[in-house]
Amino acid sequence: EQIDAGRAHSREAVRDVFDLDSARRALRWSPLRRGDIPEVDELERRINLAARVYRHTRALARDITEKKHAAAELARQRESLYQREKLAALGSLLAGVAHELNNPLSVVVARAVLLEEQGDPATQAAALKIRTAAERCARIVRTFLAMARQQQPQRGPVAMNDVVLAALDIAAYAIRTSSIEVQLDLSTDIPLVLADADQLHQVLLNLIINAQQSLQDRPAPRRIRVESRYDSNAHVLRVTVADNGPGIPAHLRARVFEPYFTTKPMGFGTGVGLAVSLGIVEAHSGTLTVDCPSEGGAVFTIALPVGAVEAARAEIESSWKAGAGRHTILIVDDEAEIREALAEILAGAGHRIVTAASGREALERMAAEHYDVILTDIRMPDLDGRALYQEIERRWPGQAKRVVFVTGDTLTSALREFVVDSGRPVIEKPFLPSEVRRVVAELVTTGR
């Protein structure tokens, strides 16, 4: 109201200026002096008053604008905090779920692989189906954990086609129930990239879910096309996620990667997915771009540089072979099925295996015998893996370098910090026999 009143005063002042200017021009040719015409003085007084009102109005408008900006920023920060709290709650829930699921999944996957390695053709075929289903469950659990952890990236050789298939696994139900056809065109000559598989999985999943949501209310046919290509000249790997949805208006395309910008209705999007995805891809020295072809739809393209991953992989594999041989290994886990599965995996590689059902039993066995590798679960009753490691460090410092942690989750911040500070390798459940054998062989080769 004050601003409106100020604007009215300003309009009156403009009229007064014209009146005053006319009066002054008339006085130039008149013998009268200033002050002889009271109306002129009144006009000047009114103009000066209007000028003060105008300055006050501008200051008031500026103050209100600043308050509006502050309120908008506060709302944005409140929404960001709310999203972080939701992620933290999700992480706590997933920690418990993962721990309960990963132990039985580890047994199923490990036993299925062993049956594939040792069984007759009919048994191998059945075991393959069991392992495929169990590994799909394991990927889902691991993906949710990776999304909730918000931890530092861990880079290694990554097969992008596997990342694409894992992301499609997660989104399979939403895609199927939306009657969307998925067209896969994955090139078979894709080299490995040095990357964090969990982070790239998050990017692919976000792009696929965005495409599915954009097609939700569109008439059939609804299609999502995912393809991978390797440009050998530029040494760049490209993964494209395209849909035949409504596309993105030209005036909004430059903003889709801005934090908290979303074209979705209230309650259906936070505007952080594409911004986070762009940050992840750029952290891998890559690019994430969007295009909307004339025929409609949206096309998102991930481009990642391909480095000397194959050479690094060959070096690692040679170290595994160098580490082959008979070693004495102690397996510590309070669940008998996990102990037995790990024992069978490593015994099949020619190692001598000793098991312990608790941290205290492990200490008793270590007091009587030297072990080349000690595999221990982190979460155990009584004396857990962390306390066991600290006791090994105190009693036999040299043996602490032989410890490998086995865990179904490292979500708890204290446990995560402990594992990172210890510098010890970690085998995550559900594990594959090849992964267990690789970690053991690498440890006995390098001695650290």
Side-chain angles (χ1 to χ4, degrees):
E1 290 175 356
Q2 291 183 50
I3 291 175
D4 290 338
R7 286 170 177 165
H9 275 295
S10 299
R11 285 193 294 270
E12 291 178 10
V14 170
R15 288 195 298 268
D16 290 343
V17 167
F18 282 110
D19 292 342
L20 179 64
D21 188 53
S22 299
R24 281 174 174 168
R25 282 200 302 272
L27 283 172
R28 287 183 197 151
W29 308 103
S30 170
L32 298 175
R33 298 179 181 179
R34 289 191 61 178
D36 292 337
I37 304 178
E39 289 80 1
V40 174
D41 294 335
E42 176 63 18
L43 282 172
E44 286 186 325
R45 187 189 66 77
R46 289 170 61 184
I47 288 172
N48 291 333
L49 175 63
R52 289 197 298 272
V53 171
Y54 175 69
R55 287 194 295 271
H56 174 72
T57 303
R58 286 193 63 185
L60 182 63
R62 186 164 52 248
D63 183 55
I64 291 174
T65 302
E66 290 172 355
K67 286 181 178 178
K68 284 183 177 179
H69 285 318
E73 177 64 18
L74 182 62
R76 187 190 68 79
Q77 291 180 1
R78 188 182 295 115
E79 177 64 18
S80 175
L81 178 61
Y82 174 62
Q83 294 300 330
R84 284 197 294 269
E85 287 175 349
K86 285 203 302 185
L87 272 180
L90 175 65
S92 299
L93 174 64
L94 287 175
V97 172
H99 185 70
E100 295 303 318
L101 287 178
N102 278 331
N103 280 334
L105 277 174
S106 295
V107 177
V108 174
V109 172
R111 293 293 184 184
V113 173
L114 290 173
L115 283 174
E116 281 187 83
E117 294 175 350
Q118 302 168 6
D120 56 69
T123 302
Q124 289 175 343
L128 175 61
K129 293 180 180 179
I130 296 171
R131 177 173 63 85
T132 302
E135 285 181 347
R136 181 179 177 187
C137 295
R139 283 197 302 270
I140 292 171
V141 172
R142 187 169 295 181
T143 297
F144 284 143
L145 278 173
M147 291 173 66
R149 279 176 185 159
Q150 303 279 299
Q151 64 186 27
Q152 292 298 314
Q154 297 179 350
R155 300 194 179 184
V158 173
M160 278 300 294
N161 284 351
D162 292 345
V163 175
V164 170
L165 294 174
L168 286 169
D169 269 345
I170 300 292
Y173 178 78
I175 291 173
R176 186 173 64 255
T177 54
S178 299
S179 301
I180 296 172
E181 174 193 357
V182 176
Q183 299 176 341
L184 269 180
D185 185 8
L186 304 181
S187 179
T188 56
D189 63 345
I190 298 293
L192 299 175
V193 293
L194 190 64
D196 184 294
D198 289 334
Q199 286 193 337
L200 292 184
H201 187 288
Q202 184 178 348
V203 174
L204 262 300
L205 181 61
N206 182 62
L207 295 182
I208 292 168
I209 291 296
N210 278 357
Q212 177 263 324
Q213 290 177 345
S214 73
L215 294 168
Q216 192 75 40
D217 300 319
R218 303 292 293 179
R222 306 181 187 98
R223 289 189 298 272
I224 295 176
R225 179 178 176 82
V226 185
E227 68 175 39
S228 61
R229 293 288 185 272
Y230 174 55
D231 184 344
S232 57
N233 294 324
H235 300 289
V236 171
L237 184 154
R238 292 185 177 87
V239 178
T240 301
V241 178
D243 63 70
N244 65 334
I248 303 169
H251 67 284
L252 296 180
R253 288 175 204 166
R255 299 192 60 196
V256 294
F257 296 109
E258 291 181 9
Y260 304 103
F261 176 80
T262 178
T263 59
K264 298 174 185 175
M266 181 69 69
F268 287 88
T270 62
V272 297
L274 286 176
V276 171
S277 298
L278 177 65
I280 290 173
V281 173
E282 289 183 342
H284 285 78
S285 302
T287 59
L288 175 59
T289 56
V290 61
D291 184 36
C292 294
S294 57
E295 60 270 21
V299 181
F300 285 87
T301 302
I302 303 168
L304 295 171
V306 176
V309 178
E310 292 297 333
R313 188 185 187 193
E315 183 180 343
I316 292 172
E317 287 178 348
S318 66
S319 71
W320 298 348
K321 293 175 182 177
R326 183 177 175 82
H327 298 89
T328 302
I329 299 173
L330 175 63
I331 298 172
V332 189
D333 201 298
D334 60 306
E335 296 208 18
E337 294 87 352
I338 300 294
R339 290 198 308 273
E340 292 169 5
L342 286 170
E344 191 167 345
I345 289 168
L346 293 170
H351 300 295
R352 174 176 169 264
I353 307 301
V354 178
T355 63
S358 69
R360 297 195 185 281
E361 183 182 348
L363 290 175
E364 292 174 4
R365 294 189 178 280
M366 290 186 68
E369 184 178 9
H370 171 87
Y371 295 98
D372 298 302
V373 180
I374 301 131
L375 272 70
T376 178
D377 191 15
I378 291 183
R379 291 184 180 273
M380 294 185 294
D382 192 14
L383 192 72
D384 64 10
R386 174 169 50 182
L388 173 61
Y389 177 78
Q390 292 168 342
E391 193 62 23
I392 292 172
E393 270 193 316
R394 187 179 70 82
R395 297 190 193 184
W396 310 284
Q399 288 283 279
K401 295 181 179 179
R402 300 290 177 176
V403 173
V404 175
F405 292 116
V406 183
T407 181
D409 75 274
T410 53
L411 251 177
T412 305
S413 58
L415 282 179
R416 185 164 65 242
E417 290 172 6
F418 162 70
V419 170
V420 171
D421 291 342
S422 71
R424 306 314 308 140
V426 177
I427 297 174
E428 290 198 24
K429 301 173 185 175
F431 44 74
L432 292 173
S434 58
E435 174 71 5
V436 175
R437 292 167 186 154
R438 179 192 67 79
V439 172
V440 169
E442 192 174 21
L443 181 63
V444 296
T445 300
T446 61
R448 63 178 189 277

